[in-house]
Amino acid sequence: MPHTFQNLIETRVTTGHFDATRSIDDSAIRTMLRLATQAPSAFNLQNWHFIAVCTAEAKEQLCTLSFGQPQVKEAAVTFIVCGQLDGYRHLHETLQPSVEAALIPATLQERWSAMVNDLHRDNPQLQRDEAFRSASLAAMILMLAAQDQGFASGALSGFDATGVTETFGLGDHLVPVMLVTVGHPSGQPRPGKARKPIDAVLEYR
Ligand SMILES: Cc1cc2nc3c(=O)[nH]c(=O)nc-3n(C[C@H](O)[C@H](O)[C@H](O)COP(=O)(O)O)c2cc1C
């Protein structure tokens, strides 16, 4: 039965255990990434980058850097979802396909490129905030895309960011925002956890 959007959201839960014997092929990974990168981003910066950790050796390293959380190596793939800090420098070329497809005018490409450069160039806090916003929006779609394909998933921020940066060679311009595990679930899915009532989190002004 096809998922409805509501059903997809309501059945997604964080999965702690995966069937470690089953892999996910490249085409499924690409489909999830194609959907995840439909996420919006400020100026269409697309200031994200994904490392699909699939080999046993790399998973072992990442598991150790995640304080031994076993799902990181049991999952068929654990994505290191990164934010790109210097996306502002590349906005002109990032927008070029939209200009060529006549989706935006070249004048907007020029205006946004200048504007983002002015805003971000000397503002590392904004570079980081925007990197986290963009990567987080993409990560959420990634988990829903995984769910839609019949996989289970989980987000993790429990990892050593410095260690991940060093071990996976992220360099100065990528920041690891979160890990997203994706794989075949093992065992029965558990029910979703309770959420705060809407009245506790919503206010009107
Ligand atoms: C940013 C973020 C970081 C998280 N980090 C971890 C983690 O390090 N380890 C873990 O087991 N779960 C982690 N979780 C999962 C949360 O505990 C889980 O999303 C929350 O309890 C709600 O449960 P649900 O996702 O099943 O609805 C994380 C979730 C998010 C969104």
Side-chain angles (χ1 to χ4, degrees), residues 9-16 66-67 69-72 136 140 143 153-159 177-179 190-195:
I9 290 172
E10 288 176 345
T11 54
R12 183 215 60 81
V13 290
T14 295
T15 303
S66 309
F67 315 118
Q69 298 193 70
Q71 66 271 39
V72 170
S136 298
M140 186 68 249
M143 288 188 275
S153 69
L156 288 91
S157 59
F159 62 90
V177 171
M178 76 181 85
L179 307 182
R190 61 165 180 78
K193 292 181 200 145
R195 295 298 197 259

Side-chain angles (χ1 to χ4, degrees), residues 119-194:
L119 289 169
H120 283 227
R121 190 182 48 234
D122 299 319
N123 193 337
Q125 178 71 50
L126 181 57
Q127 292 170 21
R128 190 175 165 88
D129 287 351
E130 216 59 82
F132 271 70
R133 274 192 275 268
S134 299
S136 298
L137 286 166
M140 186 68 249
I141 300 185
L142 180 58
M143 288 188 275
L144 291 177
Q147 182 81 5
D148 191 44
Q149 292 197 42
F151 303 126
S153 69
L156 288 91
S157 59
F159 62 90
D160 168 3
T162 305
V164 168
T165 296
E166 284 169 3
T167 303
F168 289 88
L170 301 188
D172 293 336
H173 300 306
L174 292 177
V175 54
V177 171
M178 76 181 85
L179 307 182
V180 172
T181 52
V182 177
H184 299 270
S186 82
Q188 288 300 309
R190 61 165 180 78
K193 292 181 200 145

Side-chain angles (χ1 to χ4, degrees), residues 10-185:
E10 288 176 345
T11 54
R12 183 215 60 81
V13 290
T14 295
T15 303
H17 293 289
F18 294 93
D19 181 345
T21 64
R22 298 180 66 191
S23 58
I24 292 179
D25 66 22
D26 176 63
S27 88
I29 288 176
R30 285 175 186 277
T31 298
M32 288 186 275
L33 256 292
R34 186 176 58 73
L35 294 170
T37 56
Q38 295 302 309
S41 53
F43 298 102
N44 202 17
L45 274 167
Q46 301 168 63
N47 45 342
W48 43 53
H49 185 78
F50 305 85
I51 300 173
V53 175
C54 295
T55 67
E57 186 190 354
K59 283 182 189 173
E60 195 64 56
Q61 288 176 311
L62 192 55
C63 179
T64 303
L65 290 164
S66 309
F67 315 118
Q69 298 193 70
Q71 66 271 39
V72 170
K73 59 179 175 185
E74 286 177 3
V77 49
T78 295
F79 294 94
I80 306 173
V81 181
C82 302
Q84 184 193 14
L85 300 171
D86 66 341
Y88 71 96
R89 288 177 197 262
H90 307 289
L91 185 62
H92 199 275
E93 63 187 274
T94 302
L95 295 180
Q96 189 61 25
S98 296
V99 173
E100 285 166 12
L103 297 169
I104 62 166
T107 48
L108 187 66
Q109 176 190 33
E110 298 300 332
R111 199 163 73 240
W112 278 7
S113 301
M115 203 187 291
V116 79
N117 197 53
D118 284 349
L119 289 169
H120 283 227
R121 190 182 48 234
D122 299 319
N123 193 337
Q125 178 71 50
L126 181 57
Q127 292 170 21
R128 190 175 165 88
D129 287 351
E130 216 59 82
F132 271 70
R133 274 192 275 268
S134 299
S136 298
L137 286 166
M140 186 68 249
I141 300 185
L142 180 58
M143 288 188 275
L144 291 177
Q147 182 81 5
D148 191 44
Q149 292 197 42
F151 303 126
S153 69
L156 288 91
S157 59
F159 62 90
D160 168 3
T162 305
V164 168
T165 296
E166 284 169 3
T167 303
F168 289 88
L170 301 188
D172 293 336
H173 300 306
L174 292 177
V175 54
V177 171
M178 76 181 85
L179 307 182
V180 172
T181 52
V182 177
H184 299 270

